[in-house]
Amino acid sequence: MKVKAALLNRIGADWEISHVELGDPVQGEVQVRLAASGLCHSDAHLASGASPVPFLPVLGGHEGAGVVTKLGQGVSGIEVGDHVVLAFIPACGTCPPCSVGRQNLCDAGAGLLTGKAIADDTYRVTRGDQPIVQMCLLGTFSPYVTVHQASVVKIGKDIPLDKAALVGCGVSTGWGSATAIGDTRPGDTVVVIGVGGVGINAVQGAVHAGARFVVAIDPVDFKRKKALEFGATHTYTSVEEAAAELPALTWGVLAHVVIITVGEIKGEHIQQALGLTAKGGQVIVTAMGDYRDMKVDLNLFELTLLQKRLQGAIFGGAGPRSQIPKLLDLYRAGHLRLDELVTKTYRLEDINQGYRDMADGKNLRGVVVYSDADY
């Protein structure tokens, strides 16, 4: 079928709306009519060249939810009409990481930036004879997607799909950074550096886990105010400002968990975060940086003698098949705020404005909402 899509045709350029051909699902795949797609910073990394791609064009988007419209052969547990969330990390359930409960490290994720379908190593999206890379094998900047069942999580039909889309990336990643991989305990102090679509959910996760102090650091006044609304106890404009007050606030202990969720991480952020971290505490590196950047500021003396830990994180350290339903249950119960995360909605044709608003610090999360005119 022919569908609209937002394509990146050139590094450093805007997203361009075009028409592409979407293939029908093959063995193990499903087709989904999307209701919405979140605008995540990871797609901005594609546009800037900070994330590698094998070739252009790329169909962006990796945060979406919708209704299943077609099934390929061999699909189990999913039916036409089911409501689903697309997880940017596939979870096959049988590879070595999945078999020990580490679905967020599923071996099928090795092909996320190749554009080659899990099912057969071909391309499901094309323009003429030209293959098109689907971001994270999803490509949610289009009203229809054909994806592998490993990337699909069935959800209840009572959840608004435009809100459910957010748990496919930003919410799960931020929340899990504070809880699953950060292991925040009641009474802990948690610092979140960067309060965008991921960081604000790290704030929510830390609050839910029972942290005594939740410190949010961001230069944007709007985001600091939002952090307080979402449960932060203190906000600061910079690491330096927080470092001046954190010792007195915590009786000299500092933070048990520091989570880096800035828009683009740089090497200097590592030591800045470690400087806020307590003895035996940990820094969670959730933010993405340029894949070519190999330089990091790190005081090895401090790292060793104060037994601090530096931990990477993908999908918040939790499996999509367990994390997504759990978070939606928390939403049902009023313990997870999804509605308030959506600052503004956009048409697909306005996607570049959405990313400008993100860069200008105007949104926690912008969301593309599809209408009848898009299908």
Side-chain angles (χ1 to χ4, degrees):
M1 63 187 301
K2 184 164 285 191
V3 296
K4 284 197 303 185
L7 302 181
L8 180 68
N9 291 299
R10 181 171 54 84
I11 298 300
D14 282 347
W15 298 94
E16 297 180 20
I17 306 301
S18 183
H19 282 86
V20 299
E21 293 292 335
L22 179 67
D24 283 335
V26 300
Q27 181 81 19
E29 292 184 336
V30 303
Q31 193 170 93
V32 180
R33 172 174 161 156
L34 293 178
S37 174
L39 301 181
C40 182
H41 206 120
S42 295
D43 293 281
H45 287 296
L46 286 178
S48 70
S51 289
V53 290
F55 57 84
L56 296 170
V58 174
L59 168 54
H62 61 282
E63 195 177 74
V67 180
V68 175
T69 55
K70 291 182 182 179
L71 300 177
Q73 294 295 316
V75 172
S76 60
I78 302 171
E79 298 178 354
V80 170
D82 282 346
H83 288 202
V84 296
V85 170
L86 305 181
F88 84 88
I89 290 289
C92 72
T94 59
C95 70
C98 282
S99 68
V100 295
R102 305 178 77 183
Q103 293 176 358
N104 63 309
L105 297 176
C106 177
D107 284 349
L112 283 185
L113 296 179
T114 67
K116 292 183 178 180
I118 293 172
D120 58 7
D121 280 341
T122 64
Y123 297 91
R124 216 50 79 235
V125 180
T126 57
R127 185 168 57 184
D129 295 331
Q130 181 182 36
I132 293 175
V133 174
Q134 291 171 265
M135 171 60 163
C136 290
L137 305 181
L138 299 177
T140 59
F141 292 166
S142 177
Y144 284 92
V145 295
T146 298
V147 299
H148 197 272
Q149 62 181 342
S151 299
V152 175
V153 179
K154 183 178 175 179
I155 66 170
K157 294 183 178 180
D158 60 311
I159 303 292
L161 288 169
D162 59 331
K163 308 306 187 300
L166 303 178
V167 301
C169 178
V171 175
S172 296
T173 298
W175 184 282
S177 293
T179 58
I181 205 161
D183 196 26
T184 299
R185 303 296 179 90
D188 280 355
T189 295
V190 177
V191 173
V192 179
I193 305 175
V195 191
V198 174
I200 195 67
N201 293 296
V203 168
Q204 288 206 84
V207 171
H208 183 77
R212 181 186 182 191
F213 298 124
V214 179
V215 177
I217 301 174
D218 201 288
V220 179
D221 181 63
F222 162 74
K223 293 183 179 180
R224 294 196 304 275
K225 289 178 179 177
K226 286 295 182 181
L228 292 171
E229 292 177 16
F230 278 76
T233 58
H234 300 76
T235 65
Y236 300 100
T237 61
S238 66
V239 169
E240 292 75 16
E241 186 180 356
E245 297 194 17
L246 198 59
L249 179 66
T250 61
W251 289 16
V253 174
L254 302 181
H256 302 88
V257 182
V258 178
I259 306 167
I260 306 176
T261 46
V262 295
E264 182 174 353
I265 193 168
K266 302 290 186 181
E268 62 263 26
H269 292 140
I270 300 300
Q271 185 56 42
Q272 291 174 3
L274 281 169
L276 300 176
T277 305
K279 291 185 290 185
Q282 62 176 328
V283 172
I284 309 298
V285 181
T286 302
M288 288 182 61
D290 193 310
Y291 75 101
R292 296 158 295 196
D293 191 356
M294 302 288 288
K295 296 181 179 179
V296 171
D297 292 343
L298 179 62
N299 187 314
L300 298 175
F301 187 83
E302 175 185 348
L303 185 72
T304 299
L305 296 188
L306 299 185
Q307 198 172 303
K308 299 183 181 183
R309 285 168 288 157
L310 184 62
Q311 173 69 56
I314 186 169
F315 207 80
R321 299 200 180 281
S322 57
Q323 184 79 322
I324 287 173
K326 179 183 79 172
L327 289 173
L328 293 178
D329 280 343
L330 290 172
Y331 172 69
R332 288 186 179 97
H335 299 306
L336 171 65
R337 303 174 74 177
L338 294 181
D339 300 59
E340 298 87 346
L341 288 175
V342 181
T343 311
K344 189 173 180 179
T345 61
Y346 303 87
R347 299 181 309 146
L348 185 62
E349 287 79 4
D350 298 325
I351 190 169
N352 291 305
Q353 183 60 53
Y355 273 105
R356 283 190 289 271
D357 289 345
M358 183 194 71
D360 292 340
K362 296 179 179 179
N363 288 346
L364 288 182
R365 188 54 112 214
V367 176
V368 168
V369 176
Y370 297 110
S371 67
D372 290 342
D374 294 311
Y375 301 119

